[in-house]
Amino acid sequence: MIDISKAFSPTSEPISGFFQQPGAAYYIPLYQREYSWEAENVEQLMEDVFNGVKSLIEDSPEIRERAIHFMGTVILFQESSPKQNIQPRDDRALPTRIDNVIDGQQRISTIALLACVLLQRLLNLRSGLPGDAKFDSLRTEIDSKRDLLLELFSVDIKRGSPSRKPIIVRGSVDGWTFDGTDEDNYKSGVASYIASTIRAYTNNSLGKLAKPNDKRVARNVREIEKWLKKIEETGPSDDNDYPRAKQILETIPEESLWTYPRPELRDHVPEPTGEFDKVAKVVSSLVQLFAFIHYFAERCCFTVIKPVSEEWAFDMFQSLNASGTPLTAIETFKPLVVNYLAQEGKIFKDTKSNEYFSKVDQLIGDTGPAAKKNKLTDEFLTIFALTHDGHTLSTQFSLQRRYLNDRLRAADTPAAREDFVRQMGELATYWDSVIGFEPNNLLAIAGLEDLTQESKSASGFCVLFLRDSGHKMANSVLSRFYGRLLREKSQQAAIDFVEACKAVTAFYFLWRAAKTNSGLDDVYRKLLRAGDEDNGIPPLCALKGQDSINIENLQKYFRLALDDLADRTQWLTRATQNLRYDFAKPMCKCALFLSAHDTIPDSDSPGLMKLGTPGTHPMIDPRMWNSPDFKSIEHIAPGKGQGNWDDSLYESERFQAIGNLTLLPGEVNSSAGNSPWVVKSIYYRHLAEKDPEKLVGLAQEAEKIGVVLQAHTLDLLKNSSYSHHMESIVRVPTDGKWDKDLVELRSRRICELSWSRVASWLGLPA
């Protein structure tokens, strides 16, 4: 039984307590963003400590006693496998304990930088003290503060040259080194400056310490120096209200400044308005700096949380970071890949894995708001897990992270690990090329350029239909076929991908046109995870079926999954009832396209269409699907047409049936209102009409029956480029009937034509 009370082990610690832990240092994993605090953030920190010292002078004793500055929450997780997870690594230089910084690296890094600058200022002032013995106790106190500051930015491992190492480093960029050069081993802005400070201190050359190379660190160091200059300033000042040494000695208990009372130092601290000789300035500046260090080290504090489980650490971070920049499971997974490659003696940036990861980074790395980034990551990993081993992955961050880490560790060879990352890269490429396909920019999905126009058109049409209808599970199957295309770059792989697009589209359309979504996703999960052993169909996931990407197996599996719906008669019976605007709107749009593809008006049955010559009127084309001419699904008999239309259409809402629908560039009903068929017919005949004589005739026809046509709707219709799909509808005479019988006949004809188009995509008889 989990003892929740001990799960997170939170403590509240002052800065001095947090950093003064023997042998402890901090490691920023690769997935963490870089040091990003700007000068404004540093200014706020300095101002908070500056004002904290003022409060110790100005507030009442009761308030002074409680004065603290809370610096937020730090989440750490102790590294249990440094030889596996710390890279680059010199085993001789590893600190005794390494804590991974899950949250708080910006504050820890800035505190370390502040401590570096404080040490420089402190020792600079020390050098200004006279050599008299009466200042020995003050020098002792300076040395005590020096030792404290050293602990805030370095860890003494008692070996190596120098023995002190930066207390915080960034994974894959910095590496604690036994005796290597700083330039070769500490390359992040923060660790580089800390290492330089340690080296200069060790060599007694802090006064010659070069400015930081990193521009952000340099700006922040300058900001710190600006504030410390104000803190050391003695004498009166109109624009610097930091407490002066005399005020500090009279108000703040001396044990807060040094280890025991030193009344003799008061003789060297004049009133703020008094005369300051060189010694008085140095001593006064030291007292003022001591007060700052006291408040900074003892009254600035964190809440430190050390979850007993790494997964809990990340879950806590995500919950506390809801309004900040989110971490994704993919970002936290990347360091593990980098570390494995390092153990193989490889540099990540020089490997194929880096190439694959860059594709994932391009897809997810900069997707706008945090919620959008998390949503895309969840969708990506859901599909990836299904395609890798058929696993149904939760959207919980820690479970996603565990899945990725566990699967990579289970890959027992370098080739298997690279293959795992390759699959992620292929899925990212699929996402960009297929899910992101737009026919306005590309004539074909990437990789299909050399196929026939029919294949390019069909695949693009299918992809847009599946995407716009929200059928995300289709990506699990299609990405497997597309991954094969990316690897083989063969014409057969391209053809098979097209056939897979058609098979998935046919299966989805036939299923949803005849029944609900219930059980649909499970069909895909079973195919990927287990296949259908009884019928000789192996699993489609990569781990179990790398060589089972076979279009015939896919078509067979989908036919079996349709069960009785694979029978034309059974499907027509159910589809004519289910294919309605209110039940299956995306399927209705697809059916209208399928039934308009290469069809002509049926001269024997006004209002109906029949198959025409192939190539006559192609509609299975992504450009047609995206065309604004087919933007709106229109009810021919409007939803509120009782009285002007056949009342039977409004029993059981029959007006929602596919037979009462068509595609238009805009809503004619908004202009025609509940007007009868004769008015609607006049509007429809304006579609794509460019003949001035015919337009005049339509206007006269409307005037004759007393109808005022809406100009904006007419313009929308006339400017359309396509009208053939409406030809069968306008064959119904203006004095004819658009009634229940015609809608039912048209519903069946649309379903029959749709079946004839997609059945062959599954190997079913048309």
Side-chain angles (χ1 to χ4, degrees), residues 152-196:
L152 301 190
F153 66 82
S154 67
V155 55
D156 190 356
I157 65 170
K158 309 297 184 184
R159 59 188 181 278
S161 177
S163 65
R164 286 192 172 274
K165 312 297 178 186
I167 200 165
I168 186 166
V169 298
R170 175 172 292 278
S172 296
V173 178
D174 309 315
W176 288 296
T177 179
F178 185 76
D179 54 7
T181 65
D182 298 338
E183 294 78 9
D184 291 339
N185 293 280
Y186 303 109
K187 298 179 181 180
S188 72
V190 172
S192 172
Y193 185 66
I194 294 174
S196 296

Side-chain angles (χ1 to χ4, degrees), residues 355-578:
E355 178 185 325
Y356 301 139
F357 248 114
S358 67
K359 299 181 187 301
V360 181
D361 289 339
Q362 289 168 15
L363 176 69
I364 297 176
D366 185 18
T367 53
K372 184 179 179 182
K373 181 178 182 179
N374 281 334
K375 183 174 184 292
L376 178 57
T377 300
D378 289 345
E379 291 176 358
F380 181 87
L381 289 179
T382 295
I383 297 299
F384 176 74
L386 282 170
T387 58
H388 177 65
D389 59 7
H391 180 75
T392 301
L393 185 61
S394 166
T395 57
Q396 185 177 337
F397 171 83
S398 60
L399 296 181
Q400 291 174 339
R401 183 172 181 273
R402 181 199 296 174
Y403 172 84
L404 293 174
N405 290 0
D406 287 352
R407 295 310 188 271
L408 186 70
R409 291 183 177 119
D412 54 2
T413 66
R417 289 190 287 270
E418 183 178 281
D419 194 56
F420 183 80
V421 180
R422 175 189 56 75
Q423 291 167 34
M424 295 183 75
E426 288 177 352
L427 181 58
T429 302
Y430 167 86
W431 219 277
D432 182 62
S433 300
V434 180
I435 297 178
F437 172 66
E438 291 295 344
N440 296 334
N441 301 321
L442 298 170
L443 296 178
I445 293 170
L448 309 183
E449 295 87 352
D450 295 334
L451 298 185
T452 64
Q453 185 57 50
E454 181 182 0
S455 292
K456 291 186 284 191
S457 296
S459 57
F461 174 88
C462 292
V463 163
L464 293 185
F465 160 63
L466 293 168
R467 184 185 70 191
D468 292 352
S469 61
H471 189 42
K472 296 176 182 178
M473 191 62 81
N475 296 315
S476 61
V477 169
L478 294 184
S479 64
R480 290 287 290 128
F481 280 84
Y482 197 74
R484 177 187 164 206
L485 171 59
L486 292 174
R487 291 189 300 277
E488 296 182 5
K489 295 181 173 59
S490 67
Q491 186 176 42
Q492 187 57 54
I495 292 171
D496 284 353
F497 174 71
V498 173
E499 294 304 312
C501 290
K502 291 159 67 175
V504 171
T505 296
F507 167 68
Y508 177 52
F509 173 77
L510 293 175
W511 179 297
R512 279 295 288 120
K515 61 180 180 178
T516 68
N517 272 326
S518 178
L520 182 61
D521 287 356
D522 289 337
V523 173
Y524 291 90
R525 294 189 184 104
K526 182 175 181 290
L527 170 62
L528 289 152
R529 183 184 65 253
D532 186 344
E533 187 177 356
D534 293 341
N535 289 287
I537 302 171
L540 187 60
C541 67
L543 197 63
K544 302 175 184 177
Q546 187 64 52
D547 300 322
S548 65
I549 304 176
N550 179 286
I551 191 63
E552 288 77 16
N553 281 339
L554 182 67
Q555 293 171 336
K556 180 180 179 181
Y557 180 83
F558 281 150
R559 291 197 301 269
L560 292 168
L562 284 171
D563 197 17
D564 61 336
L565 293 180
D567 176 79
R568 180 178 183 273
T569 302
Q570 292 283 348
W571 184 82
L572 287 173
T573 299
R574 294 170 65 175
T576 52
Q577 299 300 314
N578 190 73

Side-chain angles (χ1 to χ4, degrees), residues 341 346-352 354-355:
L341 289 169
K346 299 175 183 176
I347 299 174
F348 176 70
K349 67 181 180 65
D350 299 330
T351 65
K352 281 285 187 181
N354 181 41
E355 178 185 325

